[in-house]
Amino acid sequence: MVDTHQNQNSVQDVLDYDRQKELKAFDDTKAGVKGLVDSGIVKIPPIFVIPADELSCEKSYSGSTHLQVPVIDLKDIHEGGVQRKQVVEEIQHASATWGLFQIVNHGISEDVMDDMIKGIRSFHEQPTEVKRGYYSRDVPKNVNFLSNYHLYNAKSANWRDTLSLAMAPVAPSPEEYPAVCRDIVISYSQQVKRLGLTLLELLSEGLGLRSNHLAEMECAAGHSLVCHYYPACPEPNRTMGTSEHTDPDFFTILLQDQIGGLQVLYQNQWVDIPPVTGALVVNLGDLFQLISNDKFISATHRVLANQVGPRISVACFFSNHMQKQLQPVNRLYGPIKELLSDDNPPLYREALEKEYAFCYVSKGLGNSALDHFRL
Ligand code: OGA
Ligand code: NI
C-alpha cells in the first residue's frame, strides 16, 4: 500500500514538473499562440487555463451601460483655445477616478491608425520562420517578438503574442525594424510622441502645475511600442488575453482595433472599454500615480480572450527604462514637491525608474509594485 501523503506530493511534483516542461516546450517553438492556433488545436493547452480558485474570486462585471469610460474631445485645445479649460477639467476628473479615458480629435488620422494596425497584423502573420529570428526572452533587444513576457512567473499564460519596439529616447536605426511594418511604425511613433507631449501639458495643468512641468521631468522622454496580436481563441472563457495589471510606466496611449475585450476596473467592477472609431485609449501607469502622490491613479485593466479574432492593439508605453542596453536614467522619481503640503504629505519614497521596473518584473503581472515604494 502506498503512503497517500507521499503519493499526493509526488502527484503535485509531477504536475509542477509537467507545467515547467510544457511552458518551455511552448516557448521553444518560438511560434507563439498563433502557432498553436495555426496547428488547428480545438482545446487550449493546460498552461493557458486559469486555475479554478482564481475564477471563483472574480470581481463583478458591470455588464450594463450605466458606467461609461469618459470619451474626451481634444479639438480646440491649443493654448488659449475655448475648450482648453473644459478639457483639462475632464482629464483631471477622469485621471482621478478612472485613471483611464478615451480621446477623439487627437490629431492622429484614422488612416495612420488603420495602417499601423495593418502593419502589425502583417508582422504577426508572416511565416513563423521569419518571426523566429526576432524571438528572444533573455537578451534585451530593440526589436523583440515574444509570447507572454511573464510566461514563467504567471499562474496561467495569456492568449497573446507581442512585438516590442524600442523607439526613444535613442532611436534605433530604421533597418532594425521589421521591413513589413517599418515605415508606418516610424511615422506612427513620431505622431504618438507629439500627442504624448500634448497630453503631458494637459495632465500638468490638471494637477495645477505649469504646462511644461511633466515634460521637464522627462515623463515622455522615452517610449516603446508594444504591439499585440490576440488570436481567435477556441475556449475564451478558460483563459485571458491579458491578465489584470497596471502599466509600469508614466502613461500609455493605446490603439485598439474594432474587436473589443479591453476592460478597466472601476469601483471594483470590470467595465468595457468599447472600440470607438478614431479614438485612442489613454491610461495612467504606476509611475504617474507615484509622482502625483495618488492624486491621479494607475488604471487596473485586462483583455478578455475572444472566440473571434485576431484582435490587434498597440500600446505606446511612455517610460525610460525599457531600452535596457542604454545607460539607465539616474533620475529619482518621487511625489512632485509642488503637490505636497502639511495636509498632503508624501505617500511614496523616491525611486529610480529601474528600481521600480525591477520590482514590477520580479512581482509578476497583476501584483502591485507600487506598494513596495509606499511610505
Ligand atoms: C498592455 C495592455 C491592452 C490591449 O500592453 O499593457 O494593457 O488592449 N494592452 O492590448
Ligand atoms: Ni496594460
Side-chain angles (χ1 to χ4, degrees):
M1 191 65 192
V2 188
D3 176 289
T4 0
H5 183 69
Q6 222 177 27
N7 197 31
Q8 269 174 2
N9 277 346
S10 66
V11 166
Q12 192 58 46
D13 288 347
V14 168
L15 283 175
D16 288 343
Y17 175 72
D18 276 350
R19 179 170 175 80
Q20 285 307 309
K21 213 175 83 174
E22 280 179 40
L23 289 171
K24 174 114 181 22
F26 167 70
D27 211 14
D28 286 347
T29 66
K30 302 188 175 186
V33 174
K34 182 166 188 304
L36 292 172
V37 173
D38 289 346
S39 73
I41 55 152
V42 291
K43 286 192 81 63
I44 65 171
I47 56 168
F48 292 92
V49 177
I50 301 169
D53 56 333
E54 298 238 323
L55 282 176
S56 64
C57 59
E58 180 52 305
K59 297 164 187 101
S60 72
Y61 170 53
S62 77
S64 66
T65 49
H66 76 281
L67 286 175
Q68 271 174 13
V69 173
V71 179
I72 301 177
D73 189 339
L74 297 190
K75 75 169 180 295
D76 289 333
I77 51 146
H78 52 277
E79 214 116 7
V82 283
Q83 289 301 326
R84 190 162 178 112
K85 193 163 169 284
Q86 161 88 21
V87 166
V88 167
E89 274 169 25
E90 287 175 30
I91 288 184
Q92 192 246 328
H93 186 252
S95 302
T97 52
W98 292 81
L100 183 145
F101 48 89
Q102 303 218 55
I103 49 175
V104 291
N105 295 316
H106 42 64
I108 302 185
S109 75
E110 276 180 46
D111 284 349
V112 167
M113 289 165 58
D114 288 348
D115 287 348
M116 185 63 186
I117 285 171
K118 279 188 205 135
I120 296 313
R121 180 168 184 160
S122 307
F123 172 84
H124 286 279
E125 295 185 351
Q126 291 177 105
T128 306
E129 305 79 72
V130 179
K131 287 193 291 178
R132 271 201 187 109
Y134 294 102
Y135 199 97
S136 94
R137 187 169 297 278
D138 304 322
V139 198
K141 293 192 300 182
N142 286 328
V143 176
N144 193 55
F145 166 61
L146 189 63
S147 186
N148 281 266
Y149 187 73
H150 296 93
L151 186 67
Y152 294 98
N153 63 349
K155 288 196 179 128
S156 56
N158 289 161
W159 203 255
R160 175 184 89 253
D161 299 330
T162 303
L163 169 70
S164 301
L165 308 165
M167 306 303 309
V170 180
S173 77
E175 298 76 55
E176 285 192 57
Y177 299 121
V180 276
C181 54
R182 183 178 298 150
D183 293 349
I184 186 64
V185 156
I186 292 169
S187 103
Y188 181 76
S189 169
Q190 287 164 350
Q191 300 196 36
V192 83
K193 158 94 193 208
R194 202 175 317 132
L195 176 57
L197 288 169
T198 301
L199 283 167
L200 277 190
E201 287 185 9
L202 299 168
L203 287 161
S204 297
E205 292 171 34
L207 287 171
L209 302 166
R210 282 176 298 107
S211 320
N212 52 0
H213 197 110
L214 293 169
E216 281 173 5
M217 284 176 71
E218 302 187 324
C219 297
H223 70 274
S224 306
L225 296 175
V226 180
C227 313
H228 304 294
Y229 186 93
Y230 298 85
C233 180
E235 296 181 287
N237 298 329
R238 301 181 71 207
T239 188
M240 259 309 151
T242 299
S243 304
E244 88 174 70
H245 68 283
T246 54
D247 287 351
D249 58 354
F250 291 104
F251 66 110
T252 306
I253 299 179
L254 181 92
L255 164 64
Q256 62 167 338
D257 68 10
Q258 296 299 314
I259 296 277
L262 179 63
Q263 297 184 323
V264 58
L265 193 64
Y266 179 76
Q267 296 175 348
N268 221 31
Q269 287 181 74
W270 288 110
V271 179
D272 290 325
I273 305 170
V276 172
T277 308
L280 291 163
V281 179
V282 178
N283 67 272
L284 303 182
D286 285 354
L287 291 171
F288 206 107
Q289 181 166 335
L290 183 144
I291 60 171
S292 77
N293 207 37
D294 283 357
K295 262 188 128 172
F296 290 176
I297 58 171
S298 168
T300 300
H301 54 287
R302 68 177 188 184
V303 182
L304 302 179
N306 204 321
Q307 193 97 44
V308 294
R311 173 178 184 271
I312 317 285
S313 67
V314 178
C316 179
F317 281 76
F318 285 89
S319 72
N320 304 307
H321 58 72
M322 299 213 180
Q323 279 183 334
K324 300 188 188 69
Q325 57 279 71
L326 285 176
Q327 282 300 316
V329 179
N330 275 323
R331 187 175 183 136
L332 281 169
Y333 284 99
I336 295 170
K337 302 270 181 307
E338 286 79 351
L339 302 177
L340 303 177
S341 63
D342 289 345
D343 300 335
N344 188 22
L347 301 173
Y348 300 95
R349 68 173 175 86
E350 293 192 317
L352 292 167
E353 262 189 273
K354 66 169 181 202
E355 265 182 275
Y356 167 78
F358 179 79
C359 181
Y360 186 88
V361 170
S362 60
K363 284 189 171 252
L365 202 62
N367 302 306
S368 173
L370 212 45
D371 286 346
H372 187 76
F373 300 94
R374 203 177 272 278
L375 291 170

